[in-house]
Amino acid sequence: MAHRRSKVLLLSCFLSFFLIVYAGKSYYDILQLPRGASDDQIKRAYRKLALKYHPDKNQGNEEANKKFAEINNAYEVLSDGEKRDIYDKYGEDGLKQHAAGGGRGGGMNIQDIFSSFFGGGPAQEEEKILKGDDVIVELDASLEDLYMGGTMKVWRVKNVLKPAPGKRQCNCRNEVYHKQIGPGMFQQMTEQVCEQCPNVKFERESDFITVDIEKGMQDGQEVLFYEDGEPKVDGEAGDLKFRIHTAPHDRFRREGNDLHATITITLVQALVGFEKTIKHLDEHLVDISFKGITNPKEVRRFKGEGMPLHFSNKKGDLYVKFEVLFPTSLTEAQRTKIKETLG
């Protein structure tokens, strides 16, 4: 009976442990990986997600910042063989006990992890992954899309790796061995060793690609398509980057987060005032009426009527410059009346 109770207790403990390990979102789910993922798959998944959710690209976006922290926490564990083994067997509680017991806790912080991929510090020690060339496309976005957000369809022609007949040498590496050159004498030698892999070839493919234009994007900002650049045999493809520029507009001119417009009024309107509206980029009307005197080339500011700030609810301002249209000629009667009025 006691033996049976022991077995029941052991089974209950095992089920409790199983629920702890697999409840909630696992580190593998966070990095969008299967549990048996290789070290190379883990590195690639981290690189892709860290670029997407990095705080520099998501300023003011708390959800993205939280996701970035989750990604780094998951990578810190899964990229460390010892920690990964403990996590696979005992879950997060096992990691906590391991750290409390003087294991190799702490590890790299978020900055160390990210810099190991994208420059600085431990990056010197990382095995360099062969990468194809990045493709940079200069893209003119309409002011309407940059004001409200939108999408652009771009025709993309690119090289794609396809299977080809025959075999090729790949994954070449230098191996060190020792050769006996005499009694008790050995010489260290280096030999290049290559595997035989299926052959590949480049083919050209084309299709439309959808580029998302986010509200308030600035000139020079880039939309990244990870690993959609030039492919690399026995490596990873480069990235495709669309560099955004503001296309010329017939009514507005953009300067940073501000908009500028020029409006022409008559001499009478300049002297006695006027009622006027202008249609904005999303077609709402901005009232620019004025009851006083308007000087030629006078500029007035309309607060909050400029461009939206990227990842913010704030907006820049609209500056309207007034050009006064003078009459080309006056009759004697008009001259007399003007003198009487203004004299």
Side-chain angles (χ1 to χ4, degrees), residues 46 50 53-55 64-76 106-120 122:
Y46 171 74
Y53 292 102
H54 193 270
N65 292 340
K66 181 180 176 183
K67 182 79 174 175
F68 182 72
E70 289 179 351
I71 291 164
N72 280 284
N73 189 39
Y75 178 72
E76 182 184 358
M108 294 189 293
N109 60 30
I110 288 177
Q111 186 61 39
D112 291 336
I113 295 170
F114 193 79
S115 64
S116 74
F117 276 91
F118 308 106

Side-chain angles (χ1 to χ4, degrees), residues 7-269:
K7 288 178 72 176
V8 170
L9 181 61
L10 183 63
L11 180 61
S12 299
C13 291
F14 174 77
L15 289 173
S16 299
F17 151 72
F18 184 86
L19 290 172
I20 289 171
V21 173
Y22 290 97
K25 199 169 186 181
S26 75
Y27 290 155
Y28 293 97
D29 292 335
I30 291 170
L31 293 182
Q32 301 172 18
L33 289 167
R35 283 195 161 261
S38 67
D39 291 343
D40 188 54
Q41 285 176 308
I42 292 170
K43 288 178 183 179
R44 287 177 183 236
Y46 171 74
R47 180 187 177 96
K48 179 178 180 179
L49 292 169
L51 279 170
K52 181 177 180 181
Y53 292 102
H54 193 270
D56 288 348
K57 292 187 64 180
N58 300 277
Q59 294 179 11
N61 188 334
E62 293 183 8
E63 200 62 35
N65 292 340
K66 181 180 176 183
K67 182 79 174 175
F68 182 72
E70 289 179 351
I71 291 164
N72 280 284
N73 189 39
Y75 178 72
E76 182 184 358
V77 172
L78 298 185
S79 63
D80 184 302
E82 184 181 4
K83 288 182 181 179
R84 182 181 181 183
D85 187 55
I86 293 169
Y87 175 74
D88 286 345
K89 291 178 180 176
Y90 308 111
E92 291 188 63
D93 281 358
L95 289 171
K96 292 175 184 175
Q97 292 176 20
H98 172 66
R104 289 194 294 129
M108 294 189 293
N109 60 30
I110 288 177
Q111 186 61 39
D112 291 336
I113 295 170
F114 193 79
S115 64
S116 74
F117 276 91
F118 308 106
Q124 313 294 330
E125 302 165 13
E126 287 284 336
E127 181 182 351
K128 187 172 178 61
I129 299 173
L130 294 175
K131 190 175 173 69
D133 292 333
D134 290 342
V135 176
I136 299 176
V137 180
E138 309 291 338
L139 189 63
D140 286 343
S142 71
L143 204 51
E144 283 82 1
D145 281 347
L146 290 166
Y147 184 81
M148 296 178 286
T151 58
M152 295 182 68
K153 293 278 190 181
V154 179
W155 185 251
R156 165 89 164 121
V157 181
K158 65 177 182 178
N159 287 321
V160 179
L161 284 172
K162 297 286 186 179
K167 296 285 186 178
R168 64 186 175 86
Q169 289 187 337
C170 64
N171 296 325
C172 296
R173 61 196 178 276
N174 290 324
E175 288 192 355
V176 177
Y177 67 96
H178 293 85
K179 181 180 179 181
Q180 186 170 359
I181 57 175
M185 298 178 63
F186 294 86
Q187 182 178 1
Q188 182 173 297
M189 310 286 285
T190 303
E191 181 181 18
Q192 188 180 62
V193 178
C194 297
E195 298 176 14
Q196 288 291 313
C197 295
N199 204 8
V200 292
K201 63 179 179 180
F202 288 109
E203 287 187 3
R204 301 287 279 175
E205 287 189 356
S206 56
D207 198 1
F208 279 106
I209 189 167
T210 301
V211 182
D212 291 324
I213 307 298
E214 297 166 351
K215 290 194 296 184
M217 291 186 79
Q218 296 282 350
D219 284 358
Q221 275 190 259
E222 294 176 344
V223 179
L224 174 67
F225 287 80
Y226 183 70
E227 289 190 5
D228 205 13
E230 286 298 315
K232 184 76 174 179
V233 178
D234 297 328
E236 64 182 35
D239 300 328
L240 171 62
K241 301 175 183 179
F242 288 95
R243 191 170 292 157
I244 303 301
H245 299 280
T246 305
H249 197 269
D250 58 350
R251 284 180 291 137
F252 297 100
R253 175 174 52 84
R254 182 185 186 183
E255 287 187 8
N257 297 317
D258 297 326
L259 288 173
H260 294 258
T262 300
I263 298 296
T264 301
I265 57 176
T266 66
L267 179 58
V268 173
Q269 289 174 325

